Amino acid sequence: GRIVRVGLVGFVEAGGAWESGESLALDKVHPGVGIGLRAQLLRSSGSTCLHFNAAYPLDPNAGPENESVRFSFVTAAGW
């Protein structure tokens, strides 16, 4: 049988951070888009899924340190 199931995903994301007691403000929410590769290890306990992602920020006010593609790797249970 198969050992790995592979998939390709596209995503839109947004996130922000606020200090304790600070009111939520939409100008601190930073959107981005990305693509990802999913590889599910079918014979591992819990069907481990590996996530390889590349994301690009869409916020023009994110600053020069946030103007490039960001890469991430995550492991998760299930597909």
Side-chain angles (χ1 to χ4, degrees), residues 36-70:
L37 177 69
R38 303 293 180 261
Q40 184 180 23
L41 308 176
L42 298 173
R43 300 208 178 178
S44 71
S45 63
S47 294
T48 300
C49 186
L50 307 175
H51 297 213
F52 302 94
N53 297 319
Y56 184 79
L58 296 177
D59 187 350
N61 301 316
E65 69 278 2
N66 294 314
E67 291 179 351
S68 62
V69 174
R70 298 288 175 112

Side-chain angles (χ1 to χ4, degrees), residues 12-50:
V12 176
E13 61 184 357
W18 293 265
E19 296 289 333
S20 178
E22 185 180 3
S23 46
L24 302 178
L26 288 179
D27 64 338
K28 287 197 171 191
V29 175
H30 306 288
V33 295
I35 59 171
L37 177 69
R38 303 293 180 261
Q40 184 180 23
L41 308 176
L42 298 173
R43 300 208 178 178
S44 71
S45 63
S47 294
T48 300
C49 186
L50 307 175

